[in-house]
Amino acid sequence: MEKYWNWEGNYIGVRQKDYLTACDGIILGKFYGKEIYDQNGNYIGEIGKNNRLIKNKTKENFRRPGFSFYVKGTITAPFKSCDPYPMIPGYEDFLR
């Protein structure tokens, strides 16, 4: 399983099939390539450098098909936070 942290270095969760799953099993989003969309189909972020998640402000209005709110992931152990990266202009941190 791929593990993901946000740009600030906070642990977010893991990839389970096509879904980004928090350690408590809650589905945070679905992957479409490197982009991630929530259950309503709204863009919420993407994979950046070293599997860090970040949100491109220019993509805020991007949409994909939504998916079931009944999808659940496997519960996994949380991981420690890591050092933050400097923020890139035009982006903001991926928030859970």
Side-chain angles (χ1 to χ4, degrees), residues 3-51:
K3 299 171 192 74
Y4 296 97
W5 286 260
N6 67 6
W7 214 250
E8 289 286 318
N10 299 312
Y11 180 70
I12 299 296
V14 297
R15 183 175 188 148
Q16 294 180 357
K17 298 186 180 181
D18 287 334
Y19 298 98
L20 175 62
T21 308
C23 55
D24 58 5
I26 293 174
I27 300 296
L28 302 175
K30 185 174 182 178
F31 289 94
Y32 288 90
K34 291 188 171 219
E35 296 176 343
I36 307 165
Y37 293 80
D38 67 13
Q39 291 173 309
N40 293 314
N42 300 307
Y43 170 84
I44 57 172
E46 59 192 62
I47 302 171
K49 181 170 85 171
N50 296 327
N51 284 346

Side-chain angles (χ1 to χ4, degrees), residues 50-65:
N50 296 327
N51 284 346
R52 294 285 186 101
L53 302 179
I54 193 165
K55 183 177 181 181
N56 184 334
K57 292 181 188 180
T58 64
K59 297 181 179 181
E60 287 180 331
N61 294 322
F62 283 24
R63 295 195 41 81
R64 293 282 184 156

